[in-house]
């Protein structure tokens, strides 16, 4: 992702995008060309992560969990990161600050994701650990893609010893089931992407 940000920011610093706009290229065409390059790379990296996880016998990636649930989780997380990085690339003015911006994004995303995991936990009898008066925190934490990715992976990991998650029971959780986590990975990223295009 650092390489991705470096390329886009150096292109902006050299004013290549401005020159392409002068000759008639729209910004949406420009961003779609970058997406055509980085989306297949992100899909390939998702498949490789799943393959390595299965090769090292990590229970999140193995049956009884359904492979497609893990694949969809990793792909949606990758897509949301690409969209967020487009936004960061728009906000980054100089190539020298790319490393700091990406590092800061990942650190903040990781810290919020770690803190946010407690807001989705339930007790053994199904009651939430988070008080209902603070339930809005679930939605604040969900804006960051790392939180929803951690939630999906924790659902897969905790369900693996008990028969795993499959297409019949992936939506049985009370707070933020798998499909809700997928939606929360995608829609904030799409909103940020629209901000970065326009």
């Amino acid at each position: 992702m650092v390489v991705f940000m470096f390329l886009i920011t150096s292109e902006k610093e050299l004013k290549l995008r401005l020159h392409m706009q002068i000759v008639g290229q729209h910004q949406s065409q420009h961003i779609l060309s970058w997406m055509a390059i980085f989306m297949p790379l992100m899909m390939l990296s998702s498949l490789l992560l799943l393959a390595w996880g299965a090769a090292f016998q990590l229970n999140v990636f193995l049956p009884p969990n359904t492979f497609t649930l893990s694949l969809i989780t990793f792909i949606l997380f990758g897509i949301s990161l690409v969209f967020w990085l487009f936004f960061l690339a728009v906000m980054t003015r100089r190539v020298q600050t790319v490393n700091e911006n990406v590092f800061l994004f990942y650190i903040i995303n990781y810290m919020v994701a770690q803190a946010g995991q407690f807001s989705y936990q339930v007790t053994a009898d199904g009651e939430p650990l988070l008080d209902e008066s603070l339930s809005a925190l679930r939605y604040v934490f969900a804006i960051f893609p790392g939180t929803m990715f951690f939630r999906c992976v924790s659902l897969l990991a905790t369900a693996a010893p008990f028969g795993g998650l499959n297409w019949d029971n992936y939506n049985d959780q009370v707070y933020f089931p798998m499909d809700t986590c997928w939606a929360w990975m995608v829609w904030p990223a799409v909103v940020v992407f629209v901000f970065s295009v326009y």
Side-chain angles (χ1 to χ4, degrees), residues 116-156:
Q117 287 309 302
F118 298 110
S119 64
Y120 304 107
Q121 302 299 323
V122 293
T123 61
D125 43 328
E127 294 298 316
L129 289 178
L130 187 68
D131 188 41
E132 286 301 319
S133 63
L134 299 173
S135 64
L137 281 176
R138 287 187 190 107
Y139 301 103
V140 172
F141 288 134
I143 292 173
F144 293 91
T147 307
M148 292 295 96
F149 178 70
F150 279 23
R151 174 70 176 155
C152 287
V153 170
S154 69
L155 288 174
L156 289 166

Side-chain angles (χ1 to χ4, degrees), residues 31-50:
I31 289 179
L32 286 175
S33 69
W34 277 112
M35 286 179 64
I37 294 169
F38 285 102
M39 287 298 182
L41 289 175
M42 181 272 314
M43 300 254 190
L44 179 67
S45 68
S46 297
L47 285 171
L48 286 173
L49 279 170
L50 290 172

